[in-house]
């Protein structure tokens, strides 16, 4: 069985994506790291594989994997997305958006929880101005230096919820991109 002696930049990108998104389709994960590398992470207990409701392979980090991610230099102290087993479709759609980013954009990606923490002041200002807000799923800095928010939507989204997401993105200085799950 192969050991993981050191993590390369692609490994870090892949693990960061799971930190930000929670779950990934195996096929999407293999767009960042090789099939053999995925197998090594699985065998070493850093990742676990589950089947979604359609029988497709879904990956997520284990407790051991979370501990490893917390030790990675550029990811130390970073917040994890609170993954929920009933939101696998949402989370894998978000990870697919993450895969579409450039390697450097991936490393700037922050989770919904991190966005709430980092942009506490503008969000608090919205509250003081009697404006409600709803934090987007992921925010990253584009290669051109623009702040971009990504929100995965479902059929349950109302126009009001979409407007709250837009207003929140605007308050933190980001453009917003909606993607249907």
């Amino acid at each position: 069985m192969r050991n993981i002696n050191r993590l390369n930049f692609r490994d870090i990108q892949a693990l960061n994506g799971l930190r930000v998104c929670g779950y990934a389709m195996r096929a999407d994960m293999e767009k960042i790291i090789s099939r053999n590398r995925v197998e090594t992470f699985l065998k070493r207990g850093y990742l676990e594989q589950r089947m979604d409701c359609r029988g497709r392979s879904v990956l997520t980090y284990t407790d051991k994997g979370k501990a490893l991610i917390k030790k990675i230099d550029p990811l130390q102290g970073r917040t994890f997305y609170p993954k929920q087993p009933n939101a696998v479709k949402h989370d894998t759609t978000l990870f697919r958006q993450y895969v579409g980013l450039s390697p450097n954009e991936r490393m700037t990606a922050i989770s919904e929880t991190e966005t709430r923490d980092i942009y506490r002041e503008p969000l608090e200002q919205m509250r003081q101005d009697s404006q409600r807000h709803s934090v987007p799923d992921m925010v990253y800095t584009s290669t051109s230096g623009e702040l971009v928010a990504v929100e995965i939507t479902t059929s349950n989204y109302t126009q009001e919820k979409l407007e709250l997401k837009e207003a929140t993105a605007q308050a933190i200085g980001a453009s917003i991109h909606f993607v249907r799950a």
Side-chain angles (χ1 to χ4, degrees):
M1 186 183 324
R2 291 185 135 155
N3 276 329
I4 298 175
N5 296 323
R6 68 182 182 88
L7 298 173
N8 62 45
F9 185 55
R10 288 189 320 239
D11 294 334
I12 295 168
Q13 291 174 64
L15 294 170
N16 185 51
L18 285 177
R19 181 193 65 78
V20 171
C21 305
Y23 290 93
M25 299 299 294
R26 184 174 179 138
D28 290 330
M29 179 65 78
E30 290 175 359
K31 292 176 182 169
I32 301 175
I33 58 176
S34 72
R35 172 172 284 162
N36 287 341
R37 198 63 165 173
V38 169
E39 285 301 321
T40 301
F41 278 116
L42 287 165
K43 287 177 181 166
R44 290 289 174 204
Y46 297 116
L47 299 180
E48 68 180 345
Q49 182 171 283
R50 299 179 180 172
M51 293 299 174
D52 73 359
C53 59
R54 294 185 179 147
R56 296 176 299 186
S57 180
V58 177
L59 300 172
T60 190
Y61 55 83
T62 62
D63 288 342
K64 184 177 177 181
K66 187 172 185 175
L68 173 69
I69 294 167
K70 286 180 176 183
K71 292 178 188 172
I72 299 171
D73 221 9
L75 304 181
Q76 287 178 351
R78 304 281 301 271
T79 307
F80 284 72
Y81 173 77
K83 62 182 178 175
Q84 300 169 353
N86 63 338
V88 171
K89 182 176 181 183
H90 170 278
D91 295 353
T92 57
T93 303
L94 183 59
F95 190 88
R96 192 165 302 116
Q97 295 303 302
Y98 177 86
V99 168
L101 303 177
S102 75
N104 289 332
E105 288 172 333
R106 290 177 190 153
M107 294 311 295
T108 69
I110 58 175
S111 67
E112 182 176 337
T113 307
E114 285 176 296
T115 301
R116 194 175 287 111
D117 293 343
I118 293 168
Y119 295 98
R120 188 177 310 269
E121 287 181 28
L123 298 177
E124 184 57 38
Q125 186 61 51
M126 287 180 83
R127 243 183 254 120
Q128 288 175 4
D129 295 342
S130 299
Q131 288 183 294
R132 293 175 38 224
H133 69 272
S134 185
V135 178
D137 294 316
M138 177 175 68
V139 174
Y140 69 93
T141 303
S142 72
T143 52
S144 63
E146 245 187 301
L147 201 57
V148 180
V150 177
E151 179 64 28
I152 307 303
T153 64
T154 65
S155 58
N156 297 334
Y157 272 59
T158 63
Q159 186 61 36
E160 179 187 17
K161 180 135 183 168
L162 295 173
E163 289 169 3
L164 285 173
K165 297 285 183 181
E166 286 176 340
T168 304
Q170 185 176 18
I172 66 171
S175 60
I176 191 160
H177 180 65
F178 292 103
V179 178
R180 185 70 179 245

